Structure formats: structure tokens, C-alpha cells
Amino acid sequence: MKIALASAKQIDKRVSYNLQQIEQYAKEAKEAGAGLVCFGETFLQGFNCLEWEFKMDKDMAVSTDSEVFRSICTLSVSLEIDILFGFVESAGDVIYSSAALVGEGRIRHLYRRVSKGWKEYWRTDSHYREGDCVRTFSYDGQEFLIGLCGDLWDYPERFRLGEDVLLWPVYISYSPEEWEGGVRQEYTEQAAKCCGKVLMVNCMAEGDAYGGAFFFQDGSVRAELPVGSTGLLVVEI
């Protein structure tokens, strides 16, 4: 199968703009022959969308039965391509950093980040939580796993479940110079600790994140869209 990693521009708190980006890149991924297009961590609302005051943040977070969420499911059906995206999830009176893989008009897999680096945890209360479940799921005849950003650094042992492919949406702020100056090798080595095939995708956020997408396999970079670039990286798994 072909999987497209979308290094797309993202604007904090501009859900309508980010939805437009999802639609644009999903169309391009479909034209490129991909069956799945993946976006970065918290792509829907932006990584810096929260104020760490629950009364304010509950309106920014979205539930899986919200109109916004349903619109992405509908888009997936109309374009005939599955979509993986990070979002700030509202689940009752709890907020998570989550990722959803949608297709065929439904959620095919929902994952909640297990590491706490997505939040200013010294300011938050019990409304802001991490997930506690890391599990594989069958997808297109292979076993997949999702991890969000710092999960693979804080709990690498939880991402060695014998899966075939690990999808790794991230939000990282390394400049192209920092990335090529040593960070690239660190991420390559960390990915190898978790799974033989790891697909990592970052977003482009002005002055904060620099995009890029990578296919790590067995301790090396097999394909890449360089940090500092927007566009699609299409890989065959």
C-alpha cells in the first residue's frame, strides 16, 4: 500500500484553515495513488491552541461525534482515501492529545498520547490527561501502531509490540540546521528502538515548527521530505 505523509502548513486556532489543508493534501495524496494520508500532531487545532484553562479550552477541543469530526469522515468517503490526523480531543470533561485514523465514514483507530509533553503540566489539572492504551490494529493486511511525538522517547518499550508499521505524527521545532546537525540521527536511532518501519510526519507552523516527513527503516532513512519543506512524501509499505 502507499501512504502519504503531509508536511502541511498549520495555523493555531484556525480550524477552518487547517481543514482546508487536510482536504487539499488528501486530494493530492489520492492523485498520487495513496490509500492513507497522515498529518502531524494536533494538526486540526494547532499545537499551541490551548490556554490551560479548562473553561476556555473545552471550546477549542473537539469530540469524536462533533460536526468537525464528521466532516473529516465525510471527506474521507468522498475522496476515497483514509485520513490520519492529530487533534485536541474533548471526551466529557477531559482533554487529550489524540490521533484518529478515519475511513469508510468511521473511526478505524483512535489513539491518545501517553506521554505528558504535549501540555504545560505544571499548570494543568485533572481535566488534561494522557491515554493509557497502546495497542496494535490491523490495517490493509498488516499490523500498525500509532505513537505521538514524545511517546517514543518516554516509553520506547511500549512501542515494541511486533507491529509491521508505526505511524508517528509529531510536532517538533528543530530548524533545518539543527536537524541536519545531529537531531536527524537521534530520531533515526530512536525509531529503530521501536519498530522496523516508522513513518514520521511534522507540520509547518510559522516560527515554531519546520515540517518534514521521514520513512525510517531498520536504523536508516529510506525516504524523506526534508525539514523546512512542505508537500507530500509518498512511500510504499
Side-chain angles (χ1 to χ4, degrees), residues 9 54 62 106 112 132 147 194 201:
K9 185 179 178 182
F54 181 68
V62 299
R106 60 184 176 88
R112 292 167 174 165
D132 59 6
C194 300
V201 58

CSV table of all heavy atoms in Angstrom, one decimal, residues 9 54 62 106 112 132 147 194 201:
chain,number,residue,atom,x,y,z
A,9,LYS,N,1.2,23.2,6.1
A,9,LYS,CA,1.1,24.4,7.0
A,9,LYS,C,-0.1,24.3,7.9
A,9,LYS,O,-1.2,23.8,7.5
A,9,LYS,CB,1.0,25.6,6.2
A,9,LYS,CG,1.1,26.9,7.0
A,9,LYS,CD,1.0,28.2,6.1
A,9,LYS,CE,1.0,29.4,7.0
A,9,LYS,NZ,0.9,30.7,6.1
A,54,PHE,N,-9.4,25.2,31.7
A,54,PHE,CA,-10.4,24.3,31.1
A,54,PHE,C,-11.7,25.0,30.6
A,54,PHE,O,-12.2,24.6,29.5
A,54,PHE,CB,-10.8,23.3,32.1
A,54,PHE,CG,-11.8,22.3,31.6
A,54,PHE,CD1,-11.4,21.3,30.6
A,54,PHE,CD2,-13.1,22.3,32.1
A,54,PHE,CE1,-12.3,20.4,30.1
A,54,PHE,CE2,-14.0,21.3,31.6
A,54,PHE,CZ,-13.6,20.4,30.6
A,62,VAL,N,-12.3,19.1,20.4
A,62,VAL,CA,-13.5,18.6,19.7
A,62,VAL,C,-13.7,17.1,20.1
A,62,VAL,O,-12.7,16.4,20.3
A,62,VAL,CB,-13.3,18.7,18.2
A,62,VAL,CG1,-13.2,20.2,17.8
A,62,VAL,CG2,-12.1,17.9,17.7
A,106,ARG,N,-16.0,6.2,9.2
A,106,ARG,CA,-16.0,5.9,10.7
A,106,ARG,C,-14.6,6.0,11.2
A,106,ARG,O,-13.6,6.2,10.4
A,106,ARG,CB,-16.5,4.4,10.9
A,106,ARG,CG,-15.6,3.4,10.1
A,106,ARG,CD,-16.2,2.0,10.3
A,106,ARG,NE,-15.4,1.0,9.5
A,106,ARG,CZ,-14.3,0.4,9.9
A,106,ARG,NH1,-13.9,0.6,11.2
A,106,ARG,NH2,-13.7,-0.5,9.2
A,112,ARG,N,-4.7,7.9,22.1
A,112,ARG,CA,-4.5,9.1,22.9
A,112,ARG,C,-3.0,9.1,23.4
A,112,ARG,O,-2.5,8.0,24.0
A,112,ARG,CB,-5.4,9.0,24.1
A,112,ARG,CG,-6.9,9.3,23.7
A,112,ARG,CD,-7.9,8.9,24.8
A,112,ARG,NE,-9.2,9.3,24.4
A,112,ARG,CZ,-10.3,8.9,25.0
A,112,ARG,NH1,-10.2,8.0,26.0
A,112,ARG,NH2,-11.5,9.3,24.6
A,132,ASP,N,-3.8,5.6,28.3
A,132,ASP,CA,-3.1,4.6,28.9
A,132,ASP,C,-3.1,3.3,28.1
A,132,ASP,O,-2.7,2.2,28.6
A,132,ASP,CB,-3.7,4.3,30.3
A,132,ASP,CG,-5.2,3.9,30.2
A,132,ASP,OD1,-5.7,3.7,29.1
A,132,ASP,OD2,-5.8,3.7,31.3
A,147,GLY,N,2.0,6.3,17.6
A,147,GLY,CA,2.6,6.9,18.7
A,147,GLY,C,2.7,8.4,18.4
A,147,GLY,O,2.9,8.8,17.3
A,194,CYS,N,12.0,1.1,18.3
A,194,CYS,CA,10.6,0.8,18.5
A,194,CYS,C,10.0,-0.2,17.4
A,194,CYS,O,9.3,-1.1,17.7
A,194,CYS,CB,9.8,2.1,18.5
A,194,CYS,SG,10.3,3.2,19.8
A,201,VAL,N,5.8,12.3,10.6
A,201,VAL,CA,5.3,13.4,9.9
A,201,VAL,C,5.2,14.6,10.8
A,201,VAL,O,4.6,14.5,11.9
A,201,VAL,CB,4.0,13.2,9.1
A,201,VAL,CG1,2.9,12.7,10.1
A,201,VAL,CG2,3.6,14.4,8.3
